[in-house]
Amino acid sequence: MKDTLKDKFLYFCAPENDEDYFNNSLIFLCANDDNGSYGLIINRTVEIKLRDYFSSVSTKLEKKLNSGKIILGGPVQPMSVYVLYSNDKRFKPLLEVNDEISVSQDVNLIKAILDDDGPEEFLVSFGFTGWSKGQLENEILSGNWLITPSNKEIIFNTPNEQKINKVSKLAGFDLKTVSVNHGSS
């Protein structure tokens, strides 16, 4: 199962009325190997006043970044910045997910984004979602996650509040209607 999970979308199948952290989260799984699994929640927007931290950020750039480009990637290391981006040879990836998408913490990439000279497609993530070795596989076998193919257009060019609906259309069923109890009587 390990090789087949990388570069997929995960959607949490919550029991009814469950208030889990991952409710309504769409995760892009960036790695799944003998060390565990790593992904980013790609539909949870975070609004940040960048000018409070970087005086050189223009109002135009701040609006661009706050239009869904800044996300809360997960509960692990929420103060760390990760960039999910369409591959750009100018920047060193932390991890290549596929031929088109990489993840990085490269300071030069972050600076380029703040200078409005970054890759064409990107998401800036605070934190990530992670599982120890075998943990995600066990959660999948327990029915906690739906797996669907990923889609670059959905990741980078679909408004965050519409991503689950777009994935549902591609999957052929409404992800929100499936619960952890699917298939049981």
Side-chain angles (χ1 to χ4, degrees), residues 144-159:
N144 294 332
W145 297 96
L146 286 177
I147 305 164
T148 68
S150 68
N151 179 287
K152 186 179 175 190
E153 183 69 22
I154 292 172
I155 293 170
F156 295 116
N157 300 310
T158 300

Side-chain angles (χ1 to χ4, degrees), residues 75-91:
V76 182
Q77 298 180 3
M79 298 309 292
S80 296
V81 177
Y82 299 85
V83 180
L84 185 65
Y85 64 102
S86 55
N87 287 341
D88 186 321
K89 295 189 186 314
R90 296 179 295 163
F91 310 108

Side-chain angles (χ1 to χ4, degrees), residues 22-34:
F22 293 106
N23 277 359
N24 295 312
S25 294
L26 185 63
I27 297 173
F28 178 58
L29 197 60
C30 302
N32 184 254
D33 56 30
D34 290 333

Side-chain angles (χ1 to χ4, degrees), residues 80-129:
S80 296
V81 177
Y82 299 85
V83 180
L84 185 65
Y85 64 102
S86 55
N87 287 341
D88 186 321
K89 295 189 186 314
R90 296 179 295 163
F91 310 108
K92 181 180 177 189
L94 174 69
L95 171 69
E96 283 189 21
V97 180
N98 60 39
D99 292 339
E100 299 180 301
I101 301 172
S102 291
V103 177
S104 182
Q105 286 188 298
D106 184 347
V107 173
N108 294 321
L109 171 57
I110 296 166
K111 183 178 179 336
I113 289 171
L114 291 173
D115 290 340
D116 206 12
D117 188 34
E120 186 176 322
E121 298 172 310
F122 66 88
L123 293 174
V124 176
S125 174
F126 284 87
F128 67 93
T129 301

